């Protein structure tokens, strides 16, 4: 069985007070620290440069929200919907997304470290020009996700659907995709060097080279 890399977990106090998210509107800066936010719908909002730290979001909807330059540190999202939201140029550190819908979320130019996506729908999401270090994508849907010109370092893709994902201009050296499913990937042969694949996947990539496989 493939060994999953151990990440730093979000550092969150055991007993959290339930917070009213709308209280954030009365602050000079958008920030929430130390608390639980649950069962809230906040769609089509703008929270540029928001700071969330030591927070658990549970059953929260942030559909089509603008979180440009967000700072997320020690945060857990459980069963949340952030579809079509923008987190460009964000700092995302020690964050867990569990059972979340992240369809079309834009993480472009962001810095992600010690982040886990577990059982998440990330179809059409974008990590263009992002730094993705020590990030686990676990049993998640990444169809047509965009990793163009992305820095992938110690990133784990485990039993996830990568069909039609775009890794153009992204080096996959040291990246293990052997447990993942896909019919096609957008990646150049030179950037596949050092990528860890299954025997079945290797045959598919060999065909890209124009080799004739004799069975």
């Amino acid at each position: 069985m493939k060994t999953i890399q151990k990440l730093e977990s979000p550092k969150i106090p055991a007993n959290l007070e339930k917070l009213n998210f709308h209280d954030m509107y009365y602050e000079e800066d958008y920030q929430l620290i130390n608390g639980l936010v649950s069962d809230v719908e906040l769609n089509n909002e703008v929270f540029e440069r928001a700071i969330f730290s030591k927070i658990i979001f549970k059953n929260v909807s942030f559909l089509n929200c603008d979180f440009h330059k967000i700072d997320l540190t020690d945060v857990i999202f459980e069963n949340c919907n952030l579809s079509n939201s923008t987190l460009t140029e964000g700092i995302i550190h020690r964050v867990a997304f569990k059972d979340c819908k992240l369809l079309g979320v834009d993480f472009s130019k962001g810095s992600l470290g010690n982040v886990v996506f577990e059982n998440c729908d990330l179809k059409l999401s974008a990590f263009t020009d992002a730094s993705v270090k020590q990030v686990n994508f676990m049993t998640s849907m990444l169809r047509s996700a965009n990793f163009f010109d992305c820095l992938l370092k110690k990133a784990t893709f485990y039993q996830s659907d990568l069909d039609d994902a775009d890794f153009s201009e992204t080096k996959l050296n040291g990246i293990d995709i052997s447990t993942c499913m896909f019919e096609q990937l957008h990646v150049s042969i030179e950037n596949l060097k050092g990528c860890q694949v299954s025997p079945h996947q290797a045959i598919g990539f060999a065909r890209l080279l124009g080799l004739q496989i004799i069975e």
Side-chain angles (χ1 to χ4, degrees):
M1 180 179 176
K2 177 178 175 178
T3 301
I4 306 302
Q5 68 172 334
K6 187 173 178 60
L7 304 179
E8 289 186 54
S9 299
K11 298 178 180 179
I12 297 176
N15 298 310
L16 291 176
E17 176 185 355
K18 189 167 183 179
L19 301 178
N20 183 348
F21 190 91
H22 293 88
D23 289 344
M24 190 176 73
Y25 292 101
Y26 302 107
E27 301 290 335
E28 183 176 347
D29 299 313
Y30 290 131
Q31 63 177 348
L32 283 178
I33 299 174
N34 284 327
L36 167 67
V37 177
S38 63
D39 304 303
V40 178
E41 287 194 16
L42 294 149
N43 302 327
N44 304 300
E45 298 279 0
V46 178
F47 303 106
E48 191 166 346
R49 297 180 184 273
I51 299 173
F52 298 145
S53 179
K54 303 185 187 304
I55 296 289
I56 294 178
F57 292 104
K58 187 176 291 188
N59 303 320
V60 174
S61 175
F62 288 118
L63 280 172
N64 198 36
C65 288
D66 185 346
F67 290 104
H68 180 60
K69 292 192 174 181
I70 193 170
D71 186 332
L72 289 172
T73 304
D74 297 315
V75 177
I76 297 174
F77 292 88
E78 294 183 16
N79 196 35
C80 293
N81 191 348
L82 285 80
S83 293
N84 297 318
S85 288
T86 298
L87 283 75
T88 50
E89 297 187 69
I91 297 172
I92 303 173
H93 184 52
R94 289 196 303 268
V95 175
F97 295 89
K98 300 179 180 180
D99 301 304
C100 291
K101 190 170 184 180
L102 304 167
L103 179 68
V105 172
D106 193 351
F107 295 99
S108 296
K109 297 184 178 179
S111 177
L112 288 75
N114 286 285
V115 176
V116 60
F117 297 92
E118 184 176 353
N119 299 323
C120 291
D121 185 350
L122 285 147
K123 292 193 297 290
L124 298 168
S125 57
F127 295 85
T128 305
D129 295 319
S131 172
V132 179
K133 298 180 180 180
Q134 292 183 290
V135 174
N136 288 346
F137 296 91
M138 312 286 292
T139 58
S140 291
M141 181 70 71
L142 286 152
R143 286 190 176 189
S144 301
N146 190 351
F147 291 90
F148 180 86
D149 201 16
C150 175
L151 174 61
L152 291 178
K153 187 173 182 180
K154 294 184 179 179
T156 298
F157 294 88
Y158 180 72
Q159 292 187 353
S160 294
D161 189 338
L162 289 171
D163 192 38
D164 204 37
D166 189 349
F167 290 95
S168 300
E169 304 300 325
T170 297
K171 296 183 184 300
L172 296 181
N173 186 31
I175 304 300
D176 187 344
I177 61 173
S178 63
T179 64
C180 294
M181 303 163 288
F182 56 87
E183 291 295 324
Q184 68 171 349
L185 288 182
H186 302 280
V187 59
S188 63
I189 296 301
E190 57 269 25
N191 285 332
L192 271 176
K193 183 178 180 180
C195 183
Q196 300 171 37
V197 300
S198 70
H200 175 73
Q201 292 167 347
I203 291 173
F205 287 126
R207 290 194 173 102
L208 288 178
L209 289 168
L211 300 178
Q212 295 183 16
I213 309 299
I214 298 175
E215 299 179 0

